[in-house]
Amino acid sequence: MSAGPLPGISASPAYTIDEVLDNFAALLGSFDFTPEIDAMGIGRMQFLRRKRALQDLRALFIALWRLALRKSFPDDGDVIFETFLERYQQTPSRDSARKDAAAMVEKVRAYVDMLDHKGDADFSEAAHHLVSLLSLGDAEAKALRLRLALHIRSTYKLIFDKLI
């Protein structure tokens, strides 16, 4: 399945699912979540909190990619996304790694549901969820939600700009 030829260039080959998936895998693999983790106030020695936050941020990143896919590939975006999730779960060879992959896909789907409400217009629900993972006072949580919503918006823009 392909996304069709580029506009105005009828002889140009379309992007294949594999090209889109490979591009995203490279983007996900190279993305540094340190600014978001630092914004959340999670210190370097807080290993379990960092691990949990990193899992959630990766899941959110994948869900943001889905938003970008739907905008750029309205006919094929869902197929590309589901293909990614299937491959993601099939890759691990150990049982524990397969369970981790399945848990990640579950987190991704939860973020997809969160983002479906407002699409790319408002990322406050996802920011609120991330902040809820921390134990913060009301004023601190409110400021962090705003900062994270802005981080999420800039991450979405980066994903959208580097989609293909």
Side-chain angles (χ1 to χ4, degrees):
M1 177 171 289
S2 64
L6 293 170
I9 308 174
S10 60
S12 173
Y15 294 106
T16 66
I17 288 178
D18 285 337
E19 288 171 325
V20 176
L21 292 174
D22 290 346
N23 186 59
F24 178 68
L27 184 61
L28 178 62
S30 69
F31 194 77
D32 180 15
F33 294 97
T34 304
E36 288 81 4
I37 290 174
D38 289 346
M40 293 171 75
I42 301 172
R44 297 228 179 261
M45 300 307 286
Q46 295 175 303
F47 300 112
L48 292 177
R49 288 180 86 182
R50 284 182 86 79
K51 182 180 178 183
R52 168 94 195 265
L54 188 56
Q55 288 169 339
D56 270 81
L57 289 167
R58 278 195 180 115
L60 175 58
F61 193 89
I62 295 167
L64 290 169
W65 177 61
R66 180 182 170 266
L67 276 181
L69 279 173
R70 291 185 116 192
K71 214 172 215 184
S72 295
F73 300 103
D75 296 333
D76 301 331
D78 287 336
V79 171
I80 295 168
F81 182 73
E82 291 302 324
T83 302
F84 172 81
L85 292 182
E86 283 175 30
R87 289 182 184 178
Y88 187 86
Q89 290 185 88
Q90 292 171 353
T91 304
S93 58
R94 297 181 339 269
D95 281 344
S96 62
R98 271 196 295 278
K99 287 179 186 171
D100 290 346
M104 176 60 86
V105 167
E106 205 170 295
K107 276 185 193 275
V108 169
R109 292 198 186 281
Y111 278 107
V112 163
D113 289 344
M114 268 182 240
L115 296 173
D116 269 351
H117 296 121
K118 296 183 181 171
D120 64 359
D122 181 5
F123 296 110
S124 59
E125 189 175 349
H128 181 80
H129 177 72
L130 287 171
V131 171
S132 75
L133 302 175
L134 308 168
S135 302
L136 300 174
D138 287 344
E140 193 180 10
K142 185 176 181 180
L144 180 55
R145 278 193 297 271
L146 179 59
R147 271 198 323 270
L148 283 176
L150 294 173
H151 273 279
I152 294 167
R153 173 159 305 289
S154 66
T155 300
Y156 171 74
K157 184 176 176 346
L158 175 101
I159 292 168
F160 189 80
D161 291 345
K162 296 186 179 275
L163 190 61
I164 44 175

